Amino acid sequence: MRNLTALLCPLVLSASACAGSLQEEVRGLVASMGPRKGTVAISVRDSEGREVVNIRGDEPVRPASNQKLLTTGTALRLLGPDFAFQTRLVRSGDRLVVIGDGDPAFGDPELLKDMTYTTADGAVHQGMSVELLLQLWTDAAKAQGLQAVGELVVDDRVFDRGTCHADWPVDQLHESYCAEVAGVNFHVNRLDFWGAPSPRGAEITRTEPACRFISIRNETRPGNTKDDGLWIQREVDANNFTIRGFLRKPLQAPVGVTVDNPSAFFGNLLAERLRAAGVQVGAVRLADSSEPAFTGTDVGPVIRTPLRSAITRCNVDSQNLYAECLLKRFGHAATGAPGSWNNGTEAMQRQVASRVGGAAGLRAADGSGLSRENRVTTSLMTAWVSDLIQDRAVGQVFLDSLAVGGKSGTVNKRFRDLDPALATVRCKTGYIDGVCSLSGVVDCANGHQPAFSVICNGF
């Protein structure tokens, strides 16, 4: 389907001038290049939002990660383009409390490396590590004279505690794209393992973040085959990891595995750092649902992530965790209740229906598209995208969040044959088993911005 979508996008440049011929040209492309099995659904709208191509465009299909266009657009409208996630550490009586806001970017190494910060001596630094981020809070606790706290509480109640969606594949929950979703997330809820050869086959040399409270079982064996690699699995509902395989040389890049119960994981991680800094910490626990909201004095900086950064990471890099956190966060904003997949998807469907005159064909199960229960029509997708980019309040922010063909994200190697002097493709890809999707905007040099959606199912 890559050839089909690569040819489709230049064609939509002339959509407003030759709608009838374009419909037939695209139909011919589908007949000659489309998969022999399955469904190919296509919609194209001109800059005024008029649909000029509709090939099975009213048939509900699985969108895969094109679902993120619905999620990020809804987040912009319900939270506002100037919204920022905020994660705080406060001192409340004889306790320290981490107050979460559902930020998916807290401790994300990809964003930390671009972060600038100023030290006490006034020096400005570029790039921050996970350990330096944790040290901001441990140093602040020491600076306030804290020597002991009765307990460390993690208040993650901005979201419910259903961290794994019921539709996600159980046998893949240890994979990074299936990271659990929590009110307090850290390091994209993933533990990175580095390994090296050992007499028994391999050994773990370090993890990031470093932590002593996990369990690692080594079942590697000396190599007697051509296979070379490290396989790591995590027990369901526990941070117990098993490593298998063998290594001929040290890993140059880590193996990432998701962590269980991210909020509790971060609480234990912070407690470990505080104790190492000389602050005694008693119990570590999650906030109880019946406890009132915590108040107190901030310890160290409030960690903020602008919504613009979050939706860009979501769309350009197709980060599932970001999409799910956005969904739950605007579910919380819409209802005042802990964010959940139920109130988030309901808020999304209401918002889409209110903007494009109905949501026929839309069934939202999650925010990322990982669930196979999501359904959308390509006609609705282009109506939504077209409406977003014409919205003065959020249109440019949404456009800027998309991957650029030939330059960035999941399409950095595609659309290179399209003359940038004529147009740029800004889009979102999507893949799950049997599904391939591509939706977005052709940003034309003449000012036109046709929206397109191509979704293939069952091929």
Side-chain angles (χ1 to χ4, degrees), residues 252-341:
Q252 298 302 304
V255 177
V257 184
T258 61
V259 299
D260 177 63
N261 196 345
S263 297
F265 181 88
F266 179 73
N268 285 311
L269 193 68
L270 181 59
E272 199 170 79
R273 298 302 185 278
L274 287 165
R275 289 165 182 149
V279 179
Q280 296 180 30
V281 180
V284 180
R285 66 176 180 88
L286 301 182
D288 187 80
S289 60
S290 63
E291 289 183 276
F294 290 99
T295 58
T297 305
D298 284 328
V299 177
V302 176
I303 309 300
R304 294 180 172 87
T305 300
L307 179 63
R308 296 165 189 246
S309 298
I311 66 168
T312 299
R313 181 89 160 103
C314 180
N315 284 336
V316 171
D317 299 318
S318 204
Q319 266 283 340
N320 290 345
L321 174 64
Y322 278 66
E324 305 305 346
C325 286
L326 290 169
L327 182 93
K328 286 193 172 189
R329 188 59 183 80
F330 62 65
H332 168 69
T335 63
S340 67
W341 277 291

Coordinates of all heavy atoms in Angstrom, one line a residue, residues 252-341:
Q252 N 24.8 -2.7 22.3 CA 25.1 -1.3 22.0 C 23.8 -0.4 22.3 O 23.9 0.8 22.4 CB 25.5 -1.1 20.6 CG 26.8 -1.9 20.3 CD 28.0 -1.4 21.1 OE1 28.3 -0.2 21.2 NE2 28.6 -2.3 21.9
A253 N 22.7 -1.1 22.3 CA 21.4 -0.4 22.6 C 20.7 -1.3 23.6 O 20.8 -2.5 23.6 CB 20.6 -0.2 21.3
P254 N 19.9 -0.7 24.5 CA 19.2 -1.5 25.5 C 18.0 -2.3 25.0 O 17.5 -2.0 23.9 CB 18.8 -0.4 26.5 CG 18.5 0.8 25.7 CD 19.6 0.7 24.6
V255 N 17.6 -3.3 25.7 CA 16.3 -3.9 25.5 C 15.3 -3.3 26.5 O 15.5 -3.3 27.7 CB 16.5 -5.5 25.8 CG1 15.1 -6.1 25.6 CG2 17.5 -6.1 24.8
G256 N 14.3 -2.8 26.0 CA 13.3 -2.1 26.8 C 12.1 -3.1 27.1 O 11.6 -3.7 26.2
V257 N 11.7 -3.1 28.4 CA 10.6 -3.9 28.8 C 9.7 -3.0 29.7 O 10.2 -2.3 30.5 CB 11.0 -5.1 29.6 CG1 9.8 -6.0 30.0 CG2 12.0 -5.9 28.8
T258 N 8.4 -3.1 29.6 CA 7.5 -2.3 30.4 C 7.5 -2.7 31.8 O 7.9 -3.8 32.2 CB 6.0 -2.5 29.9 OG1 5.6 -3.9 30.0 CG2 5.9 -2.0 28.4
V259 N 7.1 -1.8 32.7 CA 7.1 -2.1 34.1 C 5.6 -2.2 34.6 O 4.7 -1.7 33.9 CB 7.7 -0.9 35.0 CG1 9.2 -0.8 34.6 CG2 7.0 0.4 34.8
D260 N 5.4 -3.0 35.6 CA 4.1 -3.2 36.2 C 3.8 -2.1 37.2 O 4.7 -1.6 38.0 CB 4.0 -4.5 36.9 CG 2.7 -4.8 37.5 OD1 1.6 -4.8 36.8 OD2 2.6 -4.9 38.8
N261 N 2.5 -1.6 37.2 CA 2.1 -0.6 38.2 C 3.0 0.6 38.2 O 3.8 0.8 39.2 CB 2.0 -1.2 39.6 CG 1.2 -0.4 40.6 OD1 0.9 0.8 40.3 ND2 0.8 -1.0 41.7
P262 N 3.0 1.4 37.2 CA 4.0 2.5 37.1 C 4.0 3.5 38.2 O 5.1 4.0 38.6 CB 3.6 3.2 35.8 CG 2.9 2.2 35.0 CD 2.1 1.3 36.0
S263 N 2.9 3.8 38.8 CA 2.8 4.8 39.9 C 3.6 4.2 41.1 O 4.4 5.0 41.7 CB 1.4 5.1 40.3 OG 0.7 5.7 39.3
A264 N 3.4 3.0 41.5 CA 4.1 2.4 42.6 C 5.6 2.2 42.3 O 6.4 2.4 43.1 CB 3.5 1.0 43.0
F265 N 5.9 1.9 41.0 CA 7.3 1.8 40.6 C 8.0 3.1 40.8 O 9.1 3.1 41.3 CB 7.3 1.4 39.1 CG 8.7 1.2 38.6 CD1 9.4 0.0 38.7 CD2 9.4 2.2 38.0 CE1 10.7 -0.2 38.2 CE2 10.7 2.1 37.5 CZ 11.3 0.8 37.6
F266 N 7.4 4.2 40.4 CA 8.1 5.5 40.6 C 8.2 5.8 42.1 O 9.2 6.4 42.5 CB 7.3 6.6 39.9 CG 8.0 7.9 40.1 CD1 9.2 8.2 39.4 CD2 7.5 8.9 40.9 CE1 9.9 9.4 39.6 CE2 8.1 10.1 41.2 CZ 9.3 10.4 40.5
G267 N 7.2 5.5 42.9 CA 7.3 5.8 44.3 C 8.5 5.1 44.9 O 9.3 5.6 45.7
N268 N 8.7 3.8 44.6 CA 9.8 3.0 45.1 C 11.1 3.6 44.6 O 12.2 3.6 45.2 CB 9.7 1.5 44.7 CG 8.6 0.9 45.6 OD1 8.6 1.0 46.8 ND2 7.7 0.1 45.0
L269 N 11.1 4.0 43.3 CA 12.3 4.6 42.7 C 12.8 5.8 43.4 O 13.9 6.0 43.8 CB 12.1 4.8 41.2 CG 13.3 5.1 40.3 CD1 14.1 3.9 40.2 CD2 12.8 5.6 39.0
L270 N 11.8 6.7 43.6 CA 12.1 8.0 44.3 C 12.6 7.7 45.8 O 13.5 8.4 46.3 CB 10.9 8.9 44.3 CG 11.1 10.3 44.9 CD1 12.3 11.1 44.3 CD2 9.8 11.1 44.9
A271 N 11.9 6.8 46.4 CA 12.3 6.5 47.8 C 13.7 5.9 47.9 O 14.5 6.3 48.8 CB 11.3 5.4 48.4
E272 N 14.1 5.1 46.9 CA 15.4 4.6 46.8 C 16.5 5.7 46.7 O 17.5 5.7 47.3 CB 15.5 3.7 45.6 CG 16.7 2.7 45.7 CD 16.6 1.6 44.6 OE1 16.9 1.9 43.4 OE2 16.2 0.5 45.0
R273 N 16.1 6.7 45.9 CA 17.1 7.9 45.7 C 17.1 8.8 46.9 O 18.2 9.3 47.3 CB 16.6 8.7 44.5 CG 16.7 8.0 43.1 CD 18.0 7.5 42.8 NE 18.0 6.9 41.5 CZ 17.6 5.7 41.1 NH1 17.1 4.9 42.1 NH2 17.7 5.3 39.9
L274 N 16.0 9.0 47.6 CA 16.0 9.8 48.8 C 16.8 9.1 49.9 O 17.6 9.8 50.6 CB 14.5 10.0 49.3 CG 13.7 11.0 48.4 CD1 12.2 10.8 48.8 CD2 14.2 12.4 48.7
R275 N 16.6 7.8 50.0 CA 17.4 7.1 51.1 C 18.9 7.2 50.8 O 19.7 7.3 51.7 CB 17.0 5.6 51.2 CG 15.6 5.5 51.8 CD 15.0 4.1 51.5 NE 13.6 4.0 52.1 CZ 12.7 3.2 51.6 NH1 12.9 2.5 50.5 NH2 11.5 3.2 52.1
A276 N 19.3 7.0 49.5 CA 20.7 7.1 49.1 C 21.2 8.5 49.4 O 22.4 8.7 49.7 CB 20.9 6.8 47.6
A277 N 20.4 9.5 49.4 CA 20.8 10.9 49.7 C 20.8 11.2 51.2 O 21.1 12.3 51.6 CB 19.9 11.9 48.9
G278 N 20.4 10.2 52.0 CA 20.4 10.4 53.4 C 19.1 10.8 54.1 O 19.0 11.2 55.2
V279 N 18.0 10.7 53.3 CA 16.7 11.0 53.8 C 16.0 9.7 54.1 O 15.7 8.9 53.2 CB 15.8 11.9 52.8 CG1 14.4 12.1 53.4 CG2 16.5 13.2 52.5
Q280 N 15.7 9.5 55.4 CA 15.0 8.2 55.7 C 13.5 8.3 55.3 O 12.9 9.3 55.5 CB 15.1 8.0 57.2 CG 16.5 7.8 57.8 CD 16.5 7.6 59.3 OE1 15.5 7.1 59.9 NE2 17.5 8.1 60.0
V281 N 13.1 7.2 54.7 CA 11.7 7.1 54.1 C 11.0 5.9 54.8 O 11.6 4.8 54.7 CB 11.7 7.0 52.6 CG1 10.2 7.0 52.1 CG2 12.4 8.2 52.0
G282 N 9.9 6.2 55.3 CA 9.1 5.1 55.9 C 8.4 4.3 54.8 O 8.9 3.9 53.9
A283 N 7.1 4.2 55.0 CA 6.3 3.4 54.0 C 6.2 4.2 52.7 O 6.2 5.4 52.6 CB 4.9 3.2 54.6
V284 N 6.0 3.4 51.6 CA 5.8 3.9 50.3 C 4.4 3.4 49.8 O 4.3 2.1 49.8 CB 6.9 3.5 49.3 CG1 6.6 4.1 47.9 CG2 8.3 4.0 49.8
R285 N 3.5 4.2 49.5 CA 2.2 3.7 49.1 C 1.5 4.6 48.1 O 1.9 5.8 47.9 CB 1.3 3.6 50.4 CG 1.0 5.0 51.0 CD 0.0 4.8 52.2 NE -0.3 6.1 52.8 CZ -1.3 6.9 52.5 NH1 -2.1 6.5 51.4 NH2 -1.5 8.0 53.1
L286 N 0.4 4.1 47.5 CA -0.4 4.9 46.6 C -1.5 5.6 47.5 O -1.9 5.1 48.5 CB -1.1 4.1 45.6 CG -0.2 3.3 44.6 CD1 -1.0 2.6 43.6 CD2 0.8 4.3 43.9
A287 N -2.0 6.8 47.0 CA -3.0 7.5 47.7 C -4.3 6.6 47.7 O -4.6 5.9 46.8 CB -3.3 8.8 47.1
D288 N -5.0 6.6 48.9 CA -6.3 5.9 49.0 C -7.4 6.7 48.4 O -7.4 8.0 48.4 CB -6.6 5.6 50.4 CG -7.8 4.7 50.6 OD1 -7.6 3.5 50.4 OD2 -8.9 5.2 50.9
S289 N -8.3 6.1 47.8 CA -9.4 6.8 47.1 C -10.2 7.7 48.0 O -10.8 8.6 47.5 CB -10.4 5.8 46.4 OG -10.9 4.9 47.3
S290 N -10.3 7.3 49.3 CA -11.1 8.1 50.2 C -10.3 9.3 50.8 O -10.9 10.1 51.5 CB -11.5 7.2 51.4 OG -10.4 6.7 52.1
E291 N -9.0 9.4 50.6 CA -8.3 10.5 51.2 C -8.6 11.8 50.4 O -8.8 11.9 49.2 CB -6.8 10.3 51.0 CG -6.2 9.2 51.9 CD -4.7 9.0 51.8 OE1 -4.3 8.3 50.9 OE2 -4.0 9.5 52.6
P292 N -8.7 13.0 51.2 CA -8.8 14.3 50.6 C -7.6 14.6 49.7 O -6.5 14.0 49.9 CB -9.0 15.2 51.8 CG -8.3 14.5 52.9 CD -8.5 13.0 52.7
A293 N -7.8 15.6 48.9 CA -6.7 16.1 48.0 C -5.5 16.6 48.9 O -5.8 17.3 50.0 CB -7.1 17.2 47.1
F294 N -4.3 16.2 48.6 CA -3.2 16.7 49.4 C -2.8 18.1 49.1 O -2.9 18.6 47.9 CB -2.0 15.8 49.1 CG -2.1 14.4 49.6 CD1 -2.5 13.3 48.8 CD2 -1.9 14.1 51.0 CE1 -2.6 12.0 49.2 CE2 -2.0 12.8 51.4 CZ -2.4 11.8 50.6
T295 N -2.4 18.8 50.1 CA -1.9 20.2 50.0 C -0.5 20.2 50.7 O -0.2 19.4 51.6 CB -2.8 21.2 50.6 OG1 -3.0 20.9 52.0 CG2 -4.2 21.2 49.9
G296 N 0.3 21.2 50.4 CA 1.5 21.3 51.0 C 2.5 22.3 50.3 O 2.1 23.0 49.3
T297 N 3.7 22.3 50.7 CA 4.7 23.1 50.1 C 5.5 22.4 49.0 O 5.9 21.2 49.3 CB 5.7 23.6 51.2 OG1 5.0 24.3 52.2 CG2 6.7 24.6 50.6
D298 N 5.7 23.0 47.9 CA 6.4 22.3 46.8 C 7.9 22.1 47.2 O 8.5 22.9 47.9 CB 6.4 23.2 45.5 CG 5.1 23.1 44.8 OD1 4.5 22.1 44.8 OD2 4.8 24.1 44.1
V299 N 8.3 20.9 46.9 CA 9.7 20.5 47.1 C 10.4 20.4 45.7 O 10.0 19.5 45.0 CB 9.8 19.2 47.9 CG1 11.3 18.8 48.0 CG2 9.2 19.2 49.2
G300 N 11.2 21.3 45.4 CA 11.9 21.3 44.1 C 10.9 21.8 43.0 O 9.8 22.3 43.3
P301 N 11.3 21.7 41.8 CA 10.6 22.3 40.7 C 9.3 21.5 40.4 O 9.3 20.3 40.5 CB 11.5 22.3 39.5 CG 12.5 21.2 39.8 CD 12.6 21.1 41.3
V302 N 8.3 22.2 39.9 CA 7.2 21.5 39.3 C 7.6 21.1 37.9 O 8.1 21.9 37.1 CB 5.9 22.4 39.3 CG1 4.8 21.7 38.5 CG2 5.5 22.8 40.7
I303 N 7.4 19.8 37.5 CA 7.8 19.3 36.2 C 6.7 19.5 35.2 O 5.6 18.9 35.4 CB 8.3 17.9 36.2 CG1 9.3 17.7 37.3 CG2 8.8 17.5 34.9 CD1 10.6 18.5 37.2
R304 N 6.8 20.3 34.2 CA 5.8 20.7 33.3 C 6.1 20.2 31.9 O 7.2 20.2 31.4 CB 5.5 22.2 33.2 CG 5.0 22.8 34.5 CD 4.8 24.3 34.4 NE 4.1 24.9 35.5 CZ 4.8 25.3 36.6 NH1 6.1 25.2 36.7 NH2 4.1 25.8 37.6
T305 N 5.1 19.7 31.2 CA 5.2 19.3 29.8 C 4.1 20.0 29.0 O 2.9 19.7 29.3 CB 5.0 17.8 29.6 OG1 6.1 17.1 30.3 CG2 5.1 17.4 28.1
P306 N 4.4 20.9 28.1 CA 3.3 21.5 27.3 C 2.6 20.5 26.4 O 3.2 19.5 25.9 CB 4.1 22.5 26.4 CG 5.5 22.7 27.0 CD 5.7 21.4 27.7
L307 N 1.3 20.7 26.3 CA 0.5 19.8 25.4 C 1.0 19.7 24.0 O 1.0 18.7 23.4 CB -1.0 20.3 25.4 CG -1.9 19.5 24.6 CD1 -2.1 18.1 25.1 CD2 -3.3 20.2 24.5
R308 N 1.6 20.8 23.5 CA 2.1 20.8 22.2 C 3.2 19.8 22.0 O 3.3 19.1 21.0 CB 2.7 22.2 21.8 CG 1.6 23.3 21.8 CD 2.2 24.7 21.8 NE 1.1 25.7 22.0 CZ 0.8 26.6 21.1 NH1 1.4 26.6 19.9 NH2 -0.1 27.5 21.3
S309 N 4.1 19.7 23.0 CA 5.2 18.7 23.0 C 4.6 17.3 23.1 O 5.1 16.4 22.4 CB 6.1 18.9 24.2 OG 6.7 20.2 24.1
A310 N 3.6 17.1 23.9 CA 3.0 15.8 24.0 C 2.3 15.3 22.8 O 2.5 14.1 22.4 CB 2.0 15.8 25.2
I311 N 1.5 16.1 22.1 CA 0.8 15.7 20.9 C 1.8 15.4 19.7 O 1.6 14.6 18.9 CB -0.3 16.6 20.5 CG1 0.2 18.0 20.0 CG2 -1.3 16.7 21.6 CD1 -0.9 18.8 19.4
T312 N 2.9 16.2 19.7 CA 3.9 16.0 18.7 C 4.6 14.6 18.9 O 4.8 13.9 17.9 CB 4.9 17.1 18.7 OG1 4.3 18.4 18.4 CG2 6.0 16.9 17.6
R313 N 5.0 14.3 20.1 CA 5.6 13.0 20.4 C 4.6 11.9 20.1 O 5.0 10.8 19.6 CB 6.0 13.0 21.9 CG 6.7 11.7 22.3 CD 8.1 11.7 22.1 NE 8.8 10.7 22.9 CZ 9.3 9.6 22.4 NH1 9.2 9.3 21.1 NH2 9.9 8.7 23.2
C314 N 3.3 12.2 20.3 CA 2.3 11.2 20.0 C 2.2 10.9 18.5 O 2.1 9.8 18.1 CB 1.0 11.7 20.6 SG -0.4 10.6 20.3
N315 N 2.1 12.0 17.7 CA 1.8 11.8 16.3 C 3.1 11.5 15.5 O 3.0 10.7 14.6 CB 1.1 13.1 15.8 CG -0.3 13.2 16.2 OD1 -1.0 12.1 16.4 ND2 -0.9 14.4 16.2
V316 N 4.2 12.2 15.8 CA 5.4 12.0 15.0 C 6.0 10.6 15.2 O 6.3 9.9 14.3 CB 6.4 13.1 15.2 CG1 7.7 12.8 14.5 CG2 5.9 14.5 14.7
D317 N 6.1 10.3 16.5 CA 6.7 9.0 16.9 C 5.7 7.9 17.2 O 6.1 6.8 17.6 CB 7.6 9.2 18.1 CG 8.7 10.2 17.9 OD1 9.3 10.2 16.8 OD2 9.0 11.1 18.7
S318 N 4.4 8.2 17.1 CA 3.4 7.2 17.3 C 3.5 6.5 18.6 O 3.4 5.3 18.8 CB 3.4 6.1 16.2 OG 2.1 5.6 16.0
Q319 N 3.7 7.3 19.7 CA 3.8 6.8 21.0 C 2.4 6.5 21.6 O 1.6 7.4 21.9 CB 4.5 7.9 21.9 CG 6.0 7.7 22.0 CD 6.4 6.5 22.9 OE1 5.6 6.1 23.8 NE2 7.6 6.0 22.8
N320 N 2.2 5.2 21.8 CA 0.9 4.8 22.3 C 0.6 5.3 23.7 O -0.5 5.7 24.0 CB 0.8 3.3 22.3 CG 0.7 2.7 20.9 OD1 0.4 3.4 20.0 ND2 0.9 1.4 20.8
L321 N 1.6 5.3 24.6 CA 1.4 5.8 26.0 C 0.9 7.2 26.0 O 0.0 7.6 26.7 CB 2.7 5.7 26.8 CG 2.7 6.2 28.2 CD1 1.7 5.5 29.1 CD2 4.0 6.3 28.8
Y322 N 1.5 8.0 25.1 CA 1.0 9.4 25.1 C -0.4 9.5 24.7 O -1.2 10.3 25.3 CB 1.9 10.2 24.1 CG 3.2 10.6 24.6 CD1 4.2 9.7 25.0 CD2 3.5 12.0 24.7 CE1 5.4 10.2 25.5 CE2 4.7 12.4 25.2 CZ 5.7 11.5 25.6 OH 6.9 11.9 26.1
A323 N -0.8 8.7 23.7 CA -2.2 8.8 23.2 C -3.2 8.4 24.3 O -4.2 9.1 24.6 CB -2.4 7.9 22.0
E324 N -2.8 7.3 25.1 CA -3.7 6.9 26.1 C -3.8 7.9 27.3 O -4.9 8.1 27.9 CB -3.3 5.5 26.6 CG -3.2 4.4 25.6 CD -4.5 4.2 24.7 OE1 -5.5 4.7 25.1 OE2 -4.4 3.6 23.7
C325 N -2.7 8.5 27.6 CA -2.7 9.5 28.7 C -3.5 10.7 28.3 O -4.2 11.3 29.1 CB -1.2 9.9 29.0 SG -0.3 8.7 30.0
L326 N -3.4 11.1 27.0 CA -4.2 12.3 26.5 C -5.6 11.9 26.6 O -6.5 12.8 27.1 CB -3.8 12.6 25.1 CG -2.4 13.2 24.8 CD1 -2.1 13.2 23.4 CD2 -2.4 14.6 25.4
L327 N -6.0 10.7 26.2 CA -7.4 10.3 26.3 C -8.0 10.4 27.7 O -9.0 10.9 28.0 CB -7.6 8.9 25.7 CG -9.0 8.4 25.7 CD1 -9.6 8.7 24.3 CD2 -9.0 6.9 25.9
K328 N -7.2 9.8 28.6 CA -7.7 9.7 30.0 C -7.7 11.1 30.6 O -8.6 11.5 31.4 CB -6.8 8.8 30.8 CG -7.1 7.3 30.6 CD -6.5 6.4 31.6 CE -6.9 5.0 31.5 NZ -6.5 4.1 32.6
R329 N -6.7 12.0 30.2 CA -6.6 13.3 30.8 C -7.8 14.2 30.3 O -8.4 14.9 31.1 CB -5.3 14.0 30.4 CG -5.0 15.3 31.1 CD -5.0 15.1 32.6 NE -4.8 16.3 33.4 CZ -5.8 17.2 33.6 NH1 -7.0 17.0 33.2 NH2 -5.5 18.3 34.3
F330 N -8.2 14.1 29.1 CA -9.4 14.9 28.7 C -10.7 14.3 29.2 O -11.7 14.9 29.3 CB -9.4 15.3 27.2 CG -9.5 14.3 26.2 CD1 -10.6 13.4 26.0 CD2 -8.4 14.1 25.2 CE1 -10.7 12.5 25.0 CE2 -8.5 13.2 24.2 CZ -9.6 12.4 24.1
G331 N -10.6 12.9 29.4 CA -11.8 12.3 30.1 C -12.0 12.9 31.5 O -13.1 13.1 31.9
H332 N -10.8 13.1 32.2 CA -10.9 13.7 33.5 C -11.4 15.1 33.4 O -12.2 15.5 34.2 CB -9.5 13.6 34.2 CG -9.4 14.4 35.4 ND1 -10.0 14.1 36.6 CD2 -8.7 15.6 35.6 CE1 -9.7 15.1 37.5 NE2 -8.9 15.9 37.0
A333 N -10.9 15.9 32.5 CA -11.3 17.3 32.3 C -12.7 17.4 32.0 O -13.4 18.3 32.5 CB -10.4 17.9 31.2
A334 N -13.3 16.5 31.2 CA -14.7 16.5 30.8 C -15.6 16.2 31.9 O -16.8 16.6 31.9 CB -14.9 15.6 29.6
T335 N -15.2 15.3 32.8 CA -16.1 14.7 33.8 C -15.8 15.1 35.3 O -16.7 15.0 36.2 CB -16.1 13.2 33.7 OG1 -14.8 12.7 34.1 CG2 -16.5 12.7 32.3
G336 N -14.5 15.5 35.5 CA -14.1 15.7 36.9 C -13.8 14.4 37.7 O -13.3 14.4 38.8
A337 N -14.1 13.3 37.1 CA -13.8 12.0 37.7 C -12.5 11.5 37.2 O -11.9 12.1 36.2 CB -14.9 11.0 37.2
P338 N -11.9 10.5 37.9 CA -10.6 10.0 37.4 C -10.7 9.6 35.9 O -11.7 9.0 35.5 CB -10.4 8.7 38.3 CG -11.1 9.1 39.5 CD -12.3 9.8 39.1
G339 N -9.7 10.0 35.1 CA -9.7 9.7 33.7 C -9.7 8.2 33.4 O -9.0 7.4 34.1
S340 N -10.5 7.8 32.5 CA -10.6 6.3 32.2 C -10.8 6.2 30.7 O -11.1 7.1 30.0 CB -11.8 5.7 32.9 OG -13.0 6.2 32.4
W341 N -10.7 4.9 30.2 CA -11.0 4.7 28.8 C -12.5 5.0 28.5 O -12.8 5.5 27.4 CB -10.6 3.3 28.4 CG -9.1 3.2 28.1 CD1 -8.5 3.7 27.0 CD2 -8.1 2.5 28.9 NE1 -7.1 3.4 27.1 CE2 -6.9 2.7 28.2 CE3 -8.1 1.8 30.0 CZ2 -5.7 2.2 28.7 CZ3 -6.9 1.2 30.5 CH2 -5.7 1.4 29.8

